[in-house]
Protein backbone atom coordinates (compact mmCIF):
# COMPACT_ATOMS: atom_id res chain seq x y z
CA UNK A 1 0.00 0.00 0.00
CA UNK A 2 1.56 3.29 -1.18
CA UNK A 3 0.88 6.05 1.37
CA UNK A 4 2.73 8.75 -0.57
CA UNK A 5 0.73 11.46 -2.33
CA UNK A 6 0.59 11.30 -6.13
CA UNK A 7 1.72 14.28 -8.23
CA UNK A 8 -1.94 15.18 -8.76
CA UNK A 9 -2.57 15.11 -5.01
CA UNK A 10 0.49 17.26 -4.34
CA UNK A 11 -0.78 19.76 -6.92
CA UNK A 12 -4.14 19.78 -5.15
CA UNK A 13 -2.40 20.48 -1.83
CA UNK A 14 -0.71 23.50 -3.41
CA UNK A 15 -4.09 24.70 -4.69
CA UNK A 16 -5.57 24.41 -1.18
CA UNK A 17 -2.61 26.25 0.36
CA UNK A 18 -2.99 29.10 -2.15
CA UNK A 19 -6.72 29.31 -1.49
CA UNK A 20 -6.17 29.52 2.26
CA UNK A 21 -3.49 32.16 1.84
CA UNK A 22 -5.80 34.29 -0.32
CA UNK A 23 -9.24 33.71 1.19
CA UNK A 24 -8.92 32.77 4.88
CA UNK A 25 -9.41 36.03 6.84
CA UNK A 26 -6.32 36.75 8.93
CA UNK A 27 -8.38 37.86 11.94
CA UNK A 28 -10.34 34.62 11.87
CA UNK A 29 -7.20 32.49 11.62
CA UNK A 30 -5.67 34.40 14.53
CA UNK A 31 -8.70 33.61 16.70
CA UNK A 32 -8.47 29.91 15.87
CA UNK A 33 -4.74 29.69 16.54
CA UNK A 34 -5.15 31.50 19.86
CA UNK A 35 -7.90 29.10 20.92
CA UNK A 36 -10.39 31.94 21.29
CA UNK A 37 -14.14 31.63 20.96
CA UNK A 38 -15.76 31.94 17.55
CA UNK A 39 -19.13 33.58 17.10
CA UNK A 40 -21.91 32.32 14.86
CA UNK A 41 -20.98 35.09 12.39
CA UNK A 42 -17.34 33.92 12.37
CA UNK A 43 -18.36 30.40 11.47
CA UNK A 44 -20.96 31.51 8.93
CA UNK A 45 -18.37 33.75 7.24
CA UNK A 46 -16.02 30.80 6.75
CA UNK A 47 -18.82 28.54 5.53
CA UNK A 48 -19.82 31.16 2.93
CA UNK A 49 -16.23 31.53 1.70
CA UNK A 50 -15.94 27.77 1.25
CA UNK A 51 -19.35 27.50 -0.39
CA UNK A 52 -18.49 30.22 -2.90
CA UNK A 53 -15.50 28.11 -3.98
CA UNK A 54 -17.66 24.95 -4.01
CA UNK A 55 -15.64 23.39 -1.18
CA UNK A 56 -18.05 23.59 1.75
CA UNK A 57 -19.73 20.22 1.21
CA UNK A 58 -16.46 18.63 0.20
CA UNK A 59 -17.60 15.01 0.51
CA UNK A 60 -20.91 15.50 -1.35
CA UNK A 61 -21.29 14.35 -4.97
CA UNK A 62 -21.37 16.99 -7.70
CA UNK A 63 -25.06 16.56 -8.42
CA UNK A 64 -25.84 17.86 -4.94
CA UNK A 65 -23.37 20.75 -4.90
CA UNK A 66 -20.17 19.06 -3.77
CA UNK A 67 -16.81 18.77 -5.54
CA UNK A 68 -16.78 14.96 -5.54
CA UNK A 69 -13.37 14.87 -3.90
CA UNK A 70 -11.60 11.64 -3.21
CA UNK A 71 -11.02 10.68 0.45
CA UNK A 72 -7.36 11.70 0.00
CA UNK A 73 -8.31 15.16 -1.25
CA UNK A 74 -10.61 15.62 1.72
CA UNK A 75 -7.81 14.58 4.08
CA UNK A 76 -5.43 17.07 2.45
CA UNK A 77 -7.98 19.87 2.68
CA UNK A 78 -8.81 19.24 6.34
CA UNK A 79 -5.11 18.95 7.20
CA UNK A 80 -4.09 22.19 5.47
CA UNK A 81 -7.05 24.09 6.92
CA UNK A 82 -6.09 23.08 10.44
CA UNK A 83 -2.47 24.14 9.91
CA UNK A 84 -3.55 27.50 8.47
CA UNK A 85 -5.96 28.25 11.32
CA UNK A 86 -9.16 27.60 9.39
CA UNK A 87 -12.17 27.14 11.69
CA UNK A 88 -13.56 23.64 12.04
CA UNK A 89 -16.59 23.31 9.80
CA UNK A 90 -19.72 23.05 11.94
CA UNK A 91 -20.56 19.44 11.08
CA UNK A 92 -24.21 18.94 11.92
CA UNK A 93 -25.79 20.03 8.66
CA UNK A 94 -23.14 19.46 6.01
CA UNK A 95 -21.15 16.51 7.42
CA UNK A 96 -23.86 14.60 9.32
CA UNK A 97 -27.37 15.31 8.03
CA UNK A 98 -26.29 15.90 4.44
CA UNK A 99 -24.91 12.39 3.82
CA UNK A 100 -27.99 10.84 5.49
CA UNK A 101 -30.34 12.80 3.22
CA UNK A 102 -28.29 11.97 0.14
CA UNK A 103 -28.40 8.24 0.92
CA UNK A 104 -31.80 7.81 2.57
CA UNK A 105 -33.88 10.94 1.91
CA UNK A 106 -36.51 11.18 -0.81
CA UNK A 107 -36.13 13.52 -3.78
CA UNK A 108 -38.31 16.24 -2.25
CA UNK A 109 -36.18 16.26 0.91
CA UNK A 110 -32.95 16.40 -1.05
CA UNK A 111 -34.19 19.20 -3.29
CA UNK A 112 -35.40 21.29 -0.36
CA UNK A 113 -32.95 20.72 2.50
CA UNK A 114 -29.59 20.25 0.77
CA UNK A 115 -29.46 23.71 -0.90
CA UNK A 116 -30.44 25.31 2.41
CA UNK A 117 -27.53 23.57 4.14
CA UNK A 118 -25.13 24.90 1.50
CA UNK A 119 -26.46 28.47 1.64
CA UNK A 120 -26.47 28.58 5.44
CA UNK A 121 -30.18 29.37 5.42
CA UNK A 122 -30.62 26.53 7.91
CA UNK A 123 -28.32 26.03 10.89
CA UNK A 124 -28.66 22.46 12.18
CA UNK A 125 -28.01 20.84 15.52
CA UNK A 126 -28.13 17.19 16.59
CA UNK A 127 -30.90 15.73 18.77
CA UNK A 128 -29.42 12.39 19.78
CA UNK A 129 -28.37 12.31 23.45
CA UNK A 130 -30.87 12.40 26.30
CA UNK A 131 -30.42 12.42 30.10
CA UNK A 132 -30.76 8.62 30.09
CA UNK A 133 -29.43 7.91 26.60
CA UNK A 134 -25.89 9.02 25.82
CA UNK A 135 -23.52 6.27 24.75
CA UNK A 136 -26.50 3.91 25.17
CA UNK A 137 -28.25 5.78 22.38
CA UNK A 138 -30.84 3.08 21.75
CA UNK A 139 -32.48 4.01 25.06
CA UNK A 140 -33.96 7.27 23.71
CA UNK A 141 -37.27 8.12 25.35
CA UNK A 142 -38.37 11.12 23.27
CA UNK A 143 -41.57 9.99 21.52
CA UNK A 144 -43.21 10.88 18.23
CA UNK A 145 -46.82 9.78 17.81
CA UNK A 146 -48.29 9.75 14.31
CA UNK A 147 -51.62 11.40 13.62
CA UNK A 148 -53.80 12.93 10.91
CA UNK A 149 -56.05 15.98 11.18
CA UNK A 150 -57.40 18.76 9.00
CA UNK A 151 -53.89 20.09 8.50
CA UNK A 152 -52.56 16.74 7.31
CA UNK A 153 -50.36 13.87 8.52
CA UNK A 154 -47.97 14.73 11.32
CA UNK A 155 -46.09 13.57 14.42
CA UNK A 156 -46.50 14.94 17.94
CA UNK A 157 -43.11 14.98 19.68
CA UNK A 158 -42.59 14.97 23.45
CA UNK A 159 -39.33 14.54 25.37
CA UNK A 160 -35.92 16.04 26.03
CA UNK A 161 -32.51 16.14 24.37
CA UNK A 162 -29.30 17.21 26.09
CA UNK A 163 -25.71 18.21 25.26
CA UNK A 164 -27.11 19.83 22.11
CA UNK A 165 -23.97 21.48 20.77
CA UNK A 166 -24.52 24.96 19.27
CA UNK A 167 -28.25 24.52 19.69
CA UNK A 168 -28.44 28.20 20.69
CA UNK A 169 -27.59 29.11 17.08
CA UNK A 170 -29.78 26.53 15.35
CA UNK A 171 -33.17 26.88 13.68
CA UNK A 172 -33.40 23.16 12.84
CA UNK A 173 -32.65 19.93 14.71
CA UNK A 174 -32.51 16.34 13.45
CA UNK A 175 -33.76 13.97 16.11
CA UNK A 176 -33.91 10.32 17.00
CA UNK A 177 -37.42 9.71 18.31
CA UNK A 178 -39.24 6.60 19.51
CA UNK A 179 -42.16 5.74 17.25
CA UNK A 180 -42.76 2.17 18.51
CA UNK A 181 -42.63 1.63 22.27
CA UNK A 182 -43.28 -2.10 21.97
CA UNK A 183 -40.41 -2.97 19.62
CA UNK A 184 -36.92 -3.80 20.84
CA UNK A 185 -34.96 -0.57 21.42
CA UNK A 186 -33.11 -0.32 18.10
CA UNK A 187 -36.18 -1.27 16.06
CA UNK A 188 -38.58 1.40 17.30
CA UNK A 189 -36.62 4.56 16.48
CA UNK A 190 -37.23 7.04 13.66
CA UNK A 191 -35.22 9.95 12.23
CA UNK A 192 -37.16 13.22 12.24
CA UNK A 193 -36.38 16.81 11.15
CA UNK A 194 -37.81 19.43 13.53
CA UNK A 195 -38.12 23.19 13.10
CA UNK A 196 -36.93 24.70 16.40
CA UNK A 197 -39.25 27.67 15.97
CA UNK A 198 -42.27 25.36 16.30
CA UNK A 199 -44.46 26.03 19.37
CA UNK A 200 -43.51 23.69 22.21
CA UNK A 201 -39.74 23.70 21.56
CA UNK A 202 -37.74 25.19 24.42
CA UNK A 203 -33.96 25.50 24.60
CA UNK A 204 -32.08 26.03 27.88
CA UNK A 205 -28.33 26.64 28.07
CA UNK A 206 -25.99 24.40 30.05
CA UNK A 207 -23.28 26.73 31.30
CA UNK A 208 -19.87 25.11 31.10
CA UNK A 209 -16.91 25.65 33.42
CA UNK A 210 -15.61 28.54 31.32
CA UNK A 211 -18.96 30.35 31.28
CA UNK A 212 -19.82 29.40 27.68
CA UNK A 213 -23.18 28.03 26.55
CA UNK A 214 -21.98 25.82 23.72
CA UNK A 215 -24.16 22.91 24.89
CA UNK A 216 -27.86 23.04 25.65
CA UNK A 217 -30.96 21.16 26.72
CA UNK A 218 -33.87 21.03 24.27
CA UNK A 219 -37.40 20.24 25.48
CA UNK A 220 -40.32 19.17 23.27
CA UNK A 221 -43.88 19.58 24.53
CA UNK A 222 -46.58 18.50 22.04
CA UNK A 223 -44.45 19.70 19.13
CA UNK A 224 -46.19 19.18 15.80
CA UNK A 225 -43.88 17.99 12.99
CA UNK A 226 -45.11 17.42 9.42
CA UNK A 227 -44.99 13.77 8.38
CA UNK A 228 -42.91 14.72 5.34
CA UNK A 229 -40.06 15.54 7.76
CA UNK A 230 -39.58 11.81 8.44
CA UNK A 231 -36.34 10.67 6.80
CA UNK A 232 -36.52 7.19 5.26
CA UNK A 233 -38.91 4.69 6.82
CA UNK A 234 -40.60 4.83 10.18
CA UNK A 235 -38.81 2.70 12.82
CA UNK A 236 -35.68 2.46 10.65
CA UNK A 237 -33.91 5.43 12.22
CA UNK A 238 -31.28 3.33 13.96
CA UNK A 239 -29.83 2.39 10.56
CA UNK A 240 -29.55 6.07 9.61
CA UNK A 241 -28.12 6.97 13.02
CA UNK A 242 -25.30 4.44 12.68
CA UNK A 243 -24.53 5.69 9.18
CA UNK A 244 -24.28 9.26 10.48
CA UNK A 245 -22.06 8.30 13.43
CA UNK A 246 -19.52 6.66 11.10
CA UNK A 247 -18.96 10.10 9.53
CA UNK A 248 -18.81 11.78 12.95
CA UNK A 249 -16.30 9.38 14.50
CA UNK A 250 -13.88 9.43 11.60
CA UNK A 251 -13.81 13.24 11.67
CA UNK A 252 -13.29 13.32 15.43
CA UNK A 253 -9.77 11.88 14.89
CA UNK A 254 -8.80 15.45 13.98
CA UNK A 255 -5.32 14.68 12.63
CA UNK A 256 -4.83 18.19 11.27
CA UNK A 257 -5.88 19.83 14.53
CA UNK A 258 -3.43 17.64 16.45
CA UNK A 259 -0.60 18.52 14.06
CA UNK A 260 -1.37 22.23 14.47
CA UNK A 261 -1.63 21.77 18.23
CA UNK A 262 1.74 20.02 18.36
CA UNK A 263 3.38 22.86 16.44
CA UNK A 264 1.93 25.32 18.96
CA UNK A 265 3.12 23.17 21.86
CA UNK A 266 6.66 23.00 20.45
CA UNK A 267 6.78 26.77 19.99
CA UNK A 268 5.65 27.31 23.58
CA UNK A 269 8.12 24.75 24.95
CA UNK A 270 10.99 26.47 23.12
CA UNK A 271 10.18 29.82 24.78
CA UNK A 272 8.99 28.98 28.29
CA UNK A 273 11.86 28.66 30.78
CA UNK A 274 12.14 26.19 33.63
CA UNK A 275 15.22 26.15 35.88
CA UNK A 276 16.95 28.49 33.47
CA UNK A 277 16.42 26.33 30.39
CA UNK A 278 13.71 26.09 27.71
CA UNK A 279 10.96 23.67 28.66
CA UNK A 280 11.70 21.44 25.68
CA UNK A 281 15.05 20.65 27.36
CA UNK A 282 13.37 19.46 30.55
CA UNK A 283 13.74 15.63 30.48
CA UNK A 284 10.25 14.79 31.74
CA UNK A 285 8.43 17.34 29.60
CA UNK A 286 10.49 16.53 26.52
CA UNK A 287 9.74 12.83 26.99
CA UNK A 288 5.98 13.48 27.03
CA UNK A 289 6.25 15.68 23.95
CA UNK A 290 8.21 13.00 22.11
CA UNK A 291 5.67 10.32 23.01
CA UNK A 292 2.69 12.33 21.80
CA UNK A 293 4.53 13.14 18.56
CA UNK A 294 5.26 9.45 17.97
CA UNK A 295 1.63 8.58 18.70
CA UNK A 296 0.48 11.27 16.28
CA UNK A 297 2.75 10.03 13.50
CA UNK A 298 1.44 6.50 14.00
CA UNK A 299 -2.15 7.74 13.87
CA UNK A 300 -1.46 9.71 10.70
CA UNK A 301 -0.20 6.52 9.07
CA UNK A 302 -3.26 4.58 10.22
CA UNK A 303 -5.53 7.34 8.98
CA UNK A 304 -3.87 7.30 5.56
CA UNK A 305 -4.20 3.51 5.42
CA UNK A 306 -7.93 3.78 6.08
CA UNK A 307 -8.24 6.54 3.47
CA UNK A 308 -6.34 4.42 0.93
CA UNK A 309 -8.67 1.48 1.63
CA UNK A 310 -11.76 3.65 1.21
CA UNK A 311 -10.37 5.12 -2.01
CA UNK A 312 -10.01 1.54 -3.24
CA UNK A 313 -13.68 0.82 -2.58
CA UNK A 314 -13.51 -0.33 1.05
CA UNK A 315 -15.80 0.80 3.86
CA UNK A 316 -14.40 1.85 7.27
CA UNK A 317 -15.65 -0.31 10.11
CA UNK A 318 -13.85 -0.74 13.40
CA UNK A 319 -11.17 1.59 12.02
CA UNK A 320 -13.49 4.54 12.64
CA UNK A 321 -13.61 3.62 16.31
CA UNK A 322 -9.84 3.15 16.46
CA UNK A 323 -9.22 6.58 14.95
CA UNK A 324 -11.76 8.15 17.27
CA UNK A 325 -10.04 6.72 20.37
CA UNK A 326 -6.48 7.55 19.45
CA UNK A 327 -7.29 10.89 17.86
CA UNK A 328 -9.13 12.21 20.89
CA UNK A 329 -6.53 10.91 23.34
CA UNK A 330 -3.73 12.61 21.40
CA UNK A 331 -5.54 15.95 21.20
CA UNK A 332 -6.25 15.81 24.93
CA UNK A 333 -2.60 15.10 25.73
CA UNK A 334 -1.42 18.02 23.61
CA UNK A 335 -3.85 20.38 25.36
CA UNK A 336 -2.75 18.97 28.72
CA UNK A 337 0.88 19.70 27.92
CA UNK A 338 0.08 23.26 26.79
CA UNK A 339 -1.71 23.87 30.08
CA UNK A 340 1.16 22.28 32.02
CA UNK A 341 3.66 24.47 30.16
CA UNK A 342 1.84 27.57 31.41
CA UNK A 343 2.37 26.47 35.01
CA UNK A 344 0.71 28.80 37.58
CA UNK A 345 -0.24 31.27 34.81
CA UNK A 346 -2.94 28.83 33.67
CA UNK A 347 -4.73 29.18 37.03
CA UNK A 348 -6.22 32.70 36.76
CA UNK A 349 -9.39 32.71 34.64
CA UNK A 350 -10.73 35.79 32.91
CA UNK A 351 -13.72 34.91 30.75
CA UNK A 352 -13.37 38.09 28.68
CA UNK A 353 -9.89 36.98 27.61
CA UNK A 354 -11.48 34.18 25.57
CA UNK A 355 -12.49 36.79 22.99
CA UNK A 356 -10.28 38.54 20.44
CA UNK A 357 -11.39 42.07 21.44
CA UNK A 358 -10.08 41.71 25.01
CA UNK A 359 -7.75 44.59 25.89
CA UNK A 360 -7.21 43.90 29.57
CA UNK A 361 -4.00 42.92 31.29
CA UNK A 362 -2.58 39.49 30.44
CA UNK A 363 -1.41 37.12 33.15
CA UNK A 364 1.75 35.39 32.00
CA UNK A 365 2.33 34.31 28.38
CA UNK A 366 -0.42 35.11 25.89
CA UNK A 367 -1.31 31.41 25.57
CA UNK A 368 -2.12 31.23 29.28
CA UNK A 369 -5.48 32.96 28.89
CA UNK A 370 -7.08 30.03 27.03
CA UNK A 371 -4.90 27.11 28.15
CA UNK A 372 -7.04 25.86 31.04
CA UNK A 373 -10.37 26.64 29.35
CA UNK A 374 -9.44 24.65 26.24
CA UNK A 375 -8.00 21.80 28.30
CA UNK A 376 -11.19 21.36 30.31
CA UNK A 377 -13.52 21.95 27.36
CA UNK A 378 -11.89 19.27 25.23
CA UNK A 379 -12.11 16.59 27.89
CA UNK A 380 -15.41 16.04 26.06
CA UNK A 381 -13.60 14.70 22.97
CA UNK A 382 -13.37 11.20 24.40
CA UNK A 383 -17.06 11.24 25.33
CA UNK A 384 -19.14 12.59 22.46
CA UNK A 385 -19.76 10.63 19.29
CA UNK A 386 -19.91 7.52 21.47
CA UNK A 387 -17.56 7.39 24.45
CA UNK A 388 -14.15 5.79 23.99
CA UNK A 389 -15.22 2.95 26.27
CA UNK A 390 -18.08 2.19 23.88
CA UNK A 391 -15.66 2.37 20.94
CA UNK A 392 -13.49 -0.27 22.61
CA UNK A 393 -16.54 -2.52 22.91
CA UNK A 394 -17.22 -2.01 19.18
CA UNK A 395 -13.63 -2.96 18.33
CA UNK A 396 -13.81 -6.03 20.56
CA UNK A 397 -16.99 -7.18 18.85
CA UNK A 398 -16.06 -6.40 15.24
CA UNK A 399 -12.41 -7.55 15.28
CA UNK A 400 -12.12 -10.07 18.10
CA UNK A 401 -15.67 -11.42 17.92
CA UNK A 402 -16.21 -10.95 21.66
Amino acid sequence: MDLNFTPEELAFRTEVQEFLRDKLPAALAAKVKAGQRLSRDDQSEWHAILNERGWFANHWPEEHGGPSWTPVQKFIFDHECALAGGPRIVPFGVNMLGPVLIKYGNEAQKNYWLPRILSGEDWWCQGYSEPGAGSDLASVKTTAEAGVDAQGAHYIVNGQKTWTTQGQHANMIFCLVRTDKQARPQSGISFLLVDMNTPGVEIRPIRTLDGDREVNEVFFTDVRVPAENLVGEENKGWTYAKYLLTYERTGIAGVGFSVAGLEKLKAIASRVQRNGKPLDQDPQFAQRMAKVEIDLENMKTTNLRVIAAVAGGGVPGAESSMLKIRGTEIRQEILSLIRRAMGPYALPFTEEAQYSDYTGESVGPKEAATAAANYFNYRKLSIFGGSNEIQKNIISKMILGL
Side-chain angles (χ1 to χ4, degrees):
M1 182 179 294
D2 186 1
L3 301 181
N4 295 310
F5 293 136
T6 65
E8 293 78 14
E9 289 161 352
L10 291 173
F12 174 75
R13 183 173 67 178
T14 300
E15 181 184 0
V16 171
Q17 291 170 339
E18 291 173 350
F19 166 78
L20 292 168
R21 185 171 58 250
D22 295 339
K23 298 296 185 180
L24 174 60
L28 193 53
K31 280 187 181 183
V32 173
K33 291 182 178 181
Q36 295 170 331
R37 292 179 187 168
L38 301 182
S39 67
R40 187 186 193 278
D41 289 343
D42 288 333
Q43 296 171 94
S44 295
E45 178 186 13
W46 181 232
H47 291 183
I49 291 170
L50 292 175
N51 191 45
E52 183 180 9
R53 182 62 176 261
W55 286 1
F56 179 44
N58 55 47
H59 57 291
W60 290 15
E62 286 186 51
E63 61 264 31
H64 295 299
S68 290
W69 283 350
T70 66
V72 176
Q73 286 176 304
K74 186 178 184 306
F75 171 84
I76 290 172
F77 175 79
D78 290 345
H79 193 269
E80 294 301 326
C81 276
L83 292 178
R88 176 176 179 255
I89 293 174
V90 178
F92 305 109
V94 66
N95 291 347
M96 296 183 185
L97 178 61
V100 171
L101 290 176
I102 290 170
K103 186 172 179 66
Y104 296 107
N106 58 42
E107 290 305 310
Q109 290 171 337
K110 294 175 187 177
N111 292 336
Y112 182 76
W113 296 112
L114 294 178
R116 293 169 67 92
I117 292 173
L118 292 177
S119 68
E121 189 171 355
D122 288 325
W123 186 291
W124 288 87
C125 60
Q126 181 183 37
Y128 271 27
S129 293
E130 298 181 4
S135 293
D136 182 18
L137 195 56
S139 295
V140 293
K141 297 293 192 297
T142 297
T143 60
E145 296 186 5
V148 180
D149 58 18
Q151 299 177 40
H154 61 269
Y155 289 94
I156 300 297
V157 179
N158 284 280
Q160 176 188 356
K161 298 294 180 178
T162 194
W163 313 127
T164 308
T165 303
Q166 298 209 6
Q168 76 274 22
H169 299 323
N171 67 302
M172 295 295 301
I173 182 171
F174 56 88
C175 288
L176 292 184
V177 293
R178 188 159 300 284
T179 43
D180 187 346
K181 298 179 183 178
Q182 307 305 317
R184 72 185 186 90
Q186 289 88 344
S187 300
I189 294 173
S190 297
F191 195 102
L192 204 60
L193 312 179
V194 182
D195 186 337
M196 296 186 73
N197 294 313
T198 307
V201 177
E202 179 187 2
I203 183 166
R204 301 179 192 169
I206 300 174
R207 295 287 178 182
T208 51
L209 198 64
D210 59 357
D212 200 5
R213 60 161 296 180
E214 181 186 26
V215 292
N216 304 267
E217 295 176 291
V218 182
F219 295 85
F220 304 91
T221 304
D222 295 331
V223 176
R224 181 191 174 96
V225 180
E228 58 262 32
N229 284 20
L230 174 72
V231 176
E233 299 179 47
E234 191 174 281
N235 298 325
K236 299 291 186 182
W238 189 249
T239 298
Y240 318 143
K242 290 191 296 182
Y243 181 77
L244 181 150
L245 286 172
T246 297
Y247 276 90
E248 181 180 12
R249 288 168 185 162
T250 302
I252 289 174
V255 175
F257 293 110
S258 290
V259 172
L262 183 62
E263 287 189 359
K264 179 178 180 179
L265 171 62
K266 286 182 174 181
I268 292 171
S270 69
R271 296 196 311 268
V272 174
Q273 298 280 318
R274 176 176 293 173
N275 297 324
K277 294 182 179 180
L279 193 56
D280 57 9
Q281 295 181 26
D282 177 84
Q284 290 184 331
F285 196 89
Q287 187 271 337
R288 287 185 64 173
M289 281 209 317
K291 184 179 186 305
V292 77
E293 183 168 12
I294 292 168
D295 289 343
L296 177 55
E297 287 301 315
N298 288 338
M299 187 184 69
K300 285 169 61 178
T301 300
T302 300
N303 202 29
L304 288 170
R305 289 173 60 193
V306 172
I307 289 169
V310 171
V315 177
E319 295 88 349
S320 294
S321 294
M322 294 167 62
L323 288 172
K324 197 271 182 181
I325 293 169
R326 295 304 292 137
T328 56
E329 290 174 344
I330 288 168
R331 289 184 69 188
Q332 287 176 338
E333 174 67 358
I334 290 171
L335 290 167
S336 175
L337 289 172
I338 290 175
R339 181 181 66 98
R340 186 175 292 270
M342 294 298 99
Y345 296 118
L347 287 173
F349 176 70
T350 304
E351 184 176 350
E352 293 77 13
Q354 311 302 303
Y355 299 93
S356 60
D357 58 357
Y358 177 69
T359 58
E361 184 178 355
S362 298
V363 180
K366 62 180 181 179
E367 296 89 357
T370 58
N374 287 329
Y375 166 78
F376 285 115
N377 184 34
Y378 285 102
R379 303 312 294 169
K380 67 189 178 187
L381 288 173
S382 52
I383 299 172
F384 70 71
S387 71
N388 284 7
E389 288 74 17
I390 295 296
Q391 304 311 313
K392 292 173 183 177
N393 288 343
I394 292 172
I395 293 169
S396 296
K397 181 177 181 180
M398 294 185 69
I399 296 179
L400 302 177
L402 300 176

